[in-house]
Amino acid sequence: MNISLLTLVKNRKPAIINMLAGLCKGNRFPSEVVIIHMNEQIYGLSGYPFPVREYVLSSVEALPLAHARNCAAQKALSDQLVFLDADCIPAEDFLEVYQEALYQKNCLYSGRVSYLPHWVMDKPDLLQLMALSGTADPVRAGVDQYPYHLFWSLNFGCSKSVYAQIGGFDETFCGYGAEDTDFSFSARQKGVDLVTIDALAYHQYHPSYDPPINHLEAIVKNAAIFNEKWGVWPMEGWLEKFCAMGYTAWQGGQLQILRLPGKDEISAVLKRS
């Protein structure tokens, strides 16, 4: 069975190189790696034991995530698709686990993610340390089968026919937030089973924001689109924090932006460890 591994990237060349190094150490290789560069030039990656095909997606939106995933699926030459976040390194049996699952049942599969701490990223033997250093995702720790509302796009796979049945990613969602939950809700609506498998990927450390007020406008806009479509609000934890911090407020059942954070405010919520 041939599997196309698909990833989206912007300003993540070192992370992508680590991902490809992990794939080289895997029990099986993908038939190809498709990289969609969002508003940046290709890296010119070559010399791997599998084809690496790079494409540029130019958009007025800084992070056209939904559009980029659909583009990756369209470019893929294989009938089986595995999406892996640019910051992730696959475990040795990652594609082997996906291959077995995709062979058995035609549904939407979600893999698992373990997080690498900051100190691991400074070690030259990163790939050897992964098995000792990963910590479970706190939201999904101890959850055997993820429900649809806990689906995430860091690590998932399906056939092209399932992707088409779901309808791909809704490109009405622009930028960061809610587009992957919308994808899983569409899968549920279309009768596509969601199955969690032990295809493990290690998420490489990078600074992040808690809450992600650097994406405040996109999150609020996408949350409203999601609510109108599904009748519930996504990302409730973040939305509550935005309100508590005075950036947003509920008015007439809708979330309104009162003001945008400044550079210093964004820097203040940056997590560095």
Side-chain angles (χ1 to χ4, degrees):
M1 176 185 291
N2 293 327
I3 294 177
S4 293
L5 188 133
L6 316 177
T7 191
L8 322 178
V9 65
K10 184 174 184 181
N11 299 328
R12 284 286 193 270
K13 186 174 182 178
I16 286 290
I17 289 174
N18 285 338
M19 173 197 288
L20 295 173
L23 287 170
C24 289
K25 289 183 174 291
N27 296 339
R28 65 149 297 167
F29 297 149
S31 59
E32 63 174 349
V33 173
V34 175
I35 302 174
I36 304 298
H37 294 268
M38 297 177 289
N39 296 311
E40 68 171 11
Q41 295 302 307
I42 66 171
Y43 299 156
L45 301 166
S46 62
Y48 294 94
F50 41 78
V52 177
R53 302 168 56 221
E54 303 179 70
Y55 300 92
V56 174
L57 175 61
S58 299
S59 173
V60 295
E61 177 62 45
L63 291 175
L65 300 173
H67 187 183
R69 291 197 189 98
N70 289 340
C71 181
Q74 292 167 2
K75 297 294 186 182
L77 300 178
S78 303
D79 289 331
Q80 305 298 331
L81 312 175
V82 171
F83 286 80
L84 186 61
D85 187 89
D87 289 315
C88 289
I89 304 172
E92 286 187 350
D93 64 348
F94 178 80
L95 286 179
E96 193 173 39
V97 173
Y98 263 114
Q99 181 181 34
E100 182 178 354
L102 290 164
Y103 180 80
Q104 292 179 350
K105 186 177 181 181
N106 206 22
C107 62
L108 176 61
Y109 288 99
S110 178
R112 303 185 191 277
V113 175
S114 184
Y115 286 84
L116 298 173
H118 185 279
W119 65 268
V120 172
M121 307 313 299
D122 298 326
K123 301 292 182 178
D125 52 352
L126 169 64
L127 297 177
Q128 295 179 9
L129 290 171
M130 288 191 306
L132 301 175
S133 306
T135 57
D137 164 54
V139 176
R140 298 163 185 82
V143 180
D144 179 55
Q145 290 295 311
Y146 302 157
Y148 286 94
H149 68 275
L150 289 185
F151 170 84
W152 56 356
S153 55
L154 271 73
N155 175 4
F156 76 96
C158 63
S159 66
K160 275 193 172 182
S161 61
V162 165
Y163 196 87
Q165 181 181 350
I166 295 170
F169 282 79
D170 185 347
E171 296 180 18
T172 306
F173 293 87
C174 294
Y176 188 86
E179 85 289 341
D180 47 2
T181 309
D182 173 79
F183 181 78
S184 69
F185 274 36
S186 294
R188 180 174 61 185
Q189 184 184 62
K190 299 295 176 60
V192 175
D193 290 337
L194 173 62
V195 177
T196 307
I197 58 176
D198 292 328
L200 178 63
Y202 296 90
H203 189 280
Q204 304 172 70
Y205 170 83
H206 63 80
S208 59
Y209 299 85
D210 185 21
I213 58 175
N214 54 315
H215 295 296
L216 186 142
E217 285 184 282
I219 289 173
V220 170
K221 179 181 178 182
N222 286 341
I225 294 171
F226 188 97
N227 175 258
E228 183 176 355
K229 187 172 180 178
W230 300 108
V232 294
W233 288 95
M235 308 175 288
E236 289 181 297
W238 290 345
L239 300 185
E240 290 172 1
K241 289 182 178 180
F242 292 166
C243 289
M245 297 171 77
Y247 298 120
T248 58
W250 293 101
Q251 299 176 0
Q254 295 298 313
L255 190 63
Q256 304 295 329
I257 296 177
L258 302 180
R259 68 181 183 90
L260 296 176
K263 291 182 179 180
D264 290 344
E265 292 171 298
I266 293 174
S267 296
V269 298
L270 178 63
K271 297 191 300 178
R272 301 183 184 276
S273 60

